[in-house]
Amino acid sequence: MLSLSQQAVAVRSHVDRRLAEAGVDVDDVLRGRLDRHFGRLFEHFTELYGERADCLDQLTALVVAIARAAAARPDDLRALDAAREADPDWFLDNRMLGGVCYVDRYAGDLEGVRARIPYFRELGLTYLHLMPLFRAPEGDSDGGYAVSSYREVDPALGDMEQLRSLAADLRAAGISLVVDFIFNHTSDEHDWAVGAVSGDPAYAEFYRIYPDRTLPDLFEVTTREVFPDDHPGSFVQLPDGRWIWSTFYHFQWDLNYENPAVFTAMAGEMLFLANVGVDVLRMDAVAFIWKRLGTACENLPQAHTLIRAFNAVCRIAAPAVLFKSEAIVHPDQVAEYISPGECQLSYNPLQMALIWESLATRDAGLLQQALERRHAIPPGTAWVNYVRSHDDIGWTFADEDAAELGIDGFDHRRFLNAFYVNRFEGSFARGVPFQENARTGDARVSGTTASLAGVEAGDPFGVQRVLLAHSIALSTGGLPLLYLGDEVGQLNDYAYLADPEHAGDSRWVHRPPYPAQRSAERTDPDTDAGAIYLGLRRLTQARRETAQFAGGALVGFHPHDPHVLGYQRPGAEGTVLVLANLSEQERVVPSEAFAAMPAMAHDLITDVDVELWADLPLAPLQFLWLQL
Ligand code: GLC
Ligand code: GLC
């Protein structure tokens, strides 16, 4: 019996022969990358498909496709590959700052996005996530998350050539382009989907289609309902009576990755996007990509193997490209997707949720605990820290963590949902419930940052809460991501209720069109928009100028007051101590908290000196970034 690495060597020479027969150009660079990464690809691929008689043929076809994509990679992107291979930590820099927007809502179309590049530079963006922009069904397409072709841009937004040239223009402006890699499912109009349903043998096994309810019923014993407002369970019925796996909306059909042809086909779409000039692929719905009877069909070990295999594919053909994991699950499981060989970046849903939790409770406990216990991730990886996204807020903290602080997870989630949808007396928030499930008691929350923080309600501390929330995302370590429009305090947009395509999905309340009026006010400090924008500019500028904000190293700090959050960011030029008062009362951090620290510190935000030898008063919702 050959060992795995001996097998890899044997298969590699077989693959090399096939590449030569197929006339694919393998230059020294590609050969070197195959030498470095083929073993890994082989290992992951055979782990998934080794039992199949056609495993070797499938792997060979995959490598031929990889080599073709590598050969077709444009020169400027090859140069980027080389630069990033030489500097793999490029994205850990403290000058990194992300923004996210919908192409149509924020800028009309791709040309509109291009016209906003000067504004992105004004903001200091180095990373721009354009929400799904691919061809999708007319009408409701889950905001583009139902993709009908990965190689075509939605004609209303532009075309692939425009995306290619926009990517180049963004790169020239120092901005990396991020798009979604929606690889768990396609729309029901994708060619693969149409082929599968009509019986085309090439696509027969691309999806999970069942003749009757037998297996669906068995699977549904353990799967969870993601969009119960749309359909119960994880399957929808086809007109011919059969059942197809559909985790999200009924027009989004889950791909069947037990079929290696699906992997190879998706790898082809991925490398196509890489060669258009995409820098980061947001790996959508990673938790759901592998299914197995008797499990929740989320976060299975094979899901990781699959992403690692995609990672190896990318390292060979387009190593400049990074993966960002979108796993909105238990924090233990979020962490499992993060490593240089899997996803180098990951949303930080725990920090996001706990920012809001701490603002509602005025208590730093859970957030402090999460920062001390769950913030550290492997070298060569980074969190994407955000205050809110295009999706709902789910309270994904661990019940075990909460229990240690005497908090009951179920009750606490009920409180937070009530607080943020303004069903709790005295709440400053104006959120909207999302997918309330009467059967399970589960619900999530929609709303823009400003509306959730109190600006919509006219709360006197609303603006300051928006700034405090962003201060946390900007200073804990990782790549901060702004939802564009939030930097000028955009409010909820209730117009979605009048739009039949959106009325049933409250996430549209926090996806407003470009806030032109607020944008025009952004330099006027007497407006909410200006106060937020100018305050945020101070923060992003201080972050850019402070090397301690690079990377993710974080050390705890105990302010001796449950209402005050504290943490330290160590660095070669001394430590930065961050403090934040989460309450609407003045709080005092007693001098003994600073016993091990110098007598004076400098606040990087306001540029004033602060005494640490005496008790330190903090105004309501005040935060400090103290250079020790
Ligand atoms: C992701 C997206 C969400 C979408 C879902 C299905 O979670 O963020 O907006 O509904 O995937 O694609
Ligand atoms: C994500 C999450 C789910 C979330 C949904 C869309 O994949 O896992 O909880 O609500 O997409 O919002």
Side-chain angles (χ1 to χ4, degrees), residues 608-622:
V608 299
D609 287 335
V610 173
E611 297 170 343
L612 296 185
W613 54 267
D615 292 351
L616 177 64
L618 290 175
L621 294 151
Q622 187 186 1

Side-chain angles (χ1 to χ4, degrees), residues 507-519:
R507 291 175 299 171
W508 290 100
V509 84
H510 57 234
R511 301 167 178 175
Y514 177 74
Q517 168 75 30
R518 288 184 165 258
S519 239

Side-chain angles (χ1 to χ4, degrees), residues 353-610:
L354 293 180
I355 288 173
W356 293 108
E357 187 273 347
S358 70
L359 289 173
T361 58
R362 287 80 165 171
D363 189 301
L366 272 176
L367 181 52
Q368 187 94 33
Q369 179 202 50
L371 286 171
E372 288 172 20
R373 185 180 297 179
R374 297 191 178 273
H375 190 71
I377 49 175
T381 68
W383 288 116
V384 171
N385 294 320
Y386 61 114
V387 172
R388 64 97 166 188
S389 71
H390 70 288
D391 278 333
D392 47 291
I393 298 175
W395 309 106
T396 57
F397 58 82
D399 283 9
E400 330 60 284
D401 292 358
E404 282 179 35
L405 301 181
I407 297 168
D408 177 272
F410 184 80
D411 290 347
H412 202 49
R413 285 188 188 90
R414 282 182 57 138
F415 157 71
L416 292 166
N417 280 325
F419 186 92
Y420 277 105
V421 304
N422 192 26
R423 292 179 196 154
F424 187 86
E425 167 121 31
S427 172
F428 51 74
R430 295 294 178 267
V432 179
F434 178 66
Q435 304 286 334
E436 273 186 307
N437 191 333
R439 201 171 54 74
T440 59
D442 181 47
R444 285 107 77 185
V445 173
S446 295
T448 65
T449 299
S451 287
L452 293 175
V455 178
E456 182 177 329
D459 183 276
F461 299 104
V463 166
Q464 187 60 19
R465 270 189 214 99
V466 172
L467 293 174
L468 194 160
H470 283 100
S471 149
I472 296 170
L474 285 160
S475 66
T476 47
L479 197 162
L481 177 60
L482 305 173
Y483 191 99
L484 292 176
D486 278 8
E487 79 283 9
V488 292
Q490 67 189 343
L491 299 175
N492 283 352
D493 173 22
Y494 298 98
Y496 81 101
L497 288 168
D499 178 346
E501 275 161 26
H502 293 158
D505 187 331
S506 72
R507 291 175 299 171
W508 290 100
V509 84
H510 57 234
R511 301 167 178 175
Y514 177 74
Q517 168 75 30
R518 288 184 165 258
S519 239
E521 293 167 357
R522 71 182 183 275
T523 51
D524 176 356
D526 294 332
T527 61
D528 286 347
I532 291 172
Y533 183 79
L534 296 169
L536 215 63
R537 285 289 305 263
R538 274 306 302 140
L539 297 180
T540 54
Q541 192 184 337
R543 177 185 149 90
R544 251 195 315 277
E545 290 165 357
T546 310
Q548 289 90 332
F549 290 127
L554 180 145
V555 178
F557 176 80
H558 288 270
H560 298 266
D561 182 323
H563 302 294
V564 180
L565 175 71
Y567 46 89
Q568 308 176 63
R569 301 297 317 280
E573 290 148 57
T575 291
V576 173
L577 169 66
V578 177
L579 295 173
N581 176 4
L582 299 160
S583 80
E584 293 84 355
Q585 283 84 44
E586 180 180 295
R587 306 301 308 177
V588 176
V589 182
S591 61
E592 57 263 35
F594 307 113
M597 300 191 164
M600 295 294 287
H602 188 74
D603 180 25
L604 296 167
I605 304 168
T606 54
D607 214 14
V608 299
D609 287 335
V610 173

Side-chain angles (χ1 to χ4, degrees), residues 292-338:
R292 207 180 136 188
L293 199 60
T295 72
C297 299
E298 287 186 50
N299 306 302
L300 292 174
Q302 291 87 346
H304 296 285
T305 309
L306 204 63
I307 302 167
R308 288 180 196 145
F310 277 124
N311 177 300
V313 168
C314 231
R315 294 280 78 69
I316 296 169
V321 175
L322 298 178
F323 289 174
K324 172 170 73 159
S325 156
E326 189 249 346
I328 315 300
V329 291
H330 186 288
D332 287 344
Q333 289 161 341
V334 173
E336 285 174 7
Y337 294 93
I338 310 171

Side-chain angles (χ1 to χ4, degrees), residues 142 223-234 245-249 252 254 285 288 296-298 392 434-437 442 444 507:
D142 189 21
T223 58
R224 104 181 134 106
E225 294 179 325
V226 178
F227 287 161
D229 290 355
D230 183 68
H231 64 276
S234 304
W245 199 300
S246 163
T247 300
F248 297 93
Y249 280 107
Q252 288 164 303
D254 294 49
F288 299 91
C297 299
E298 287 186 50
D392 47 291
F434 178 66
Q435 304 286 334
E436 273 186 307
N437 191 333
D442 181 47
R444 285 107 77 185
R507 291 175 299 171

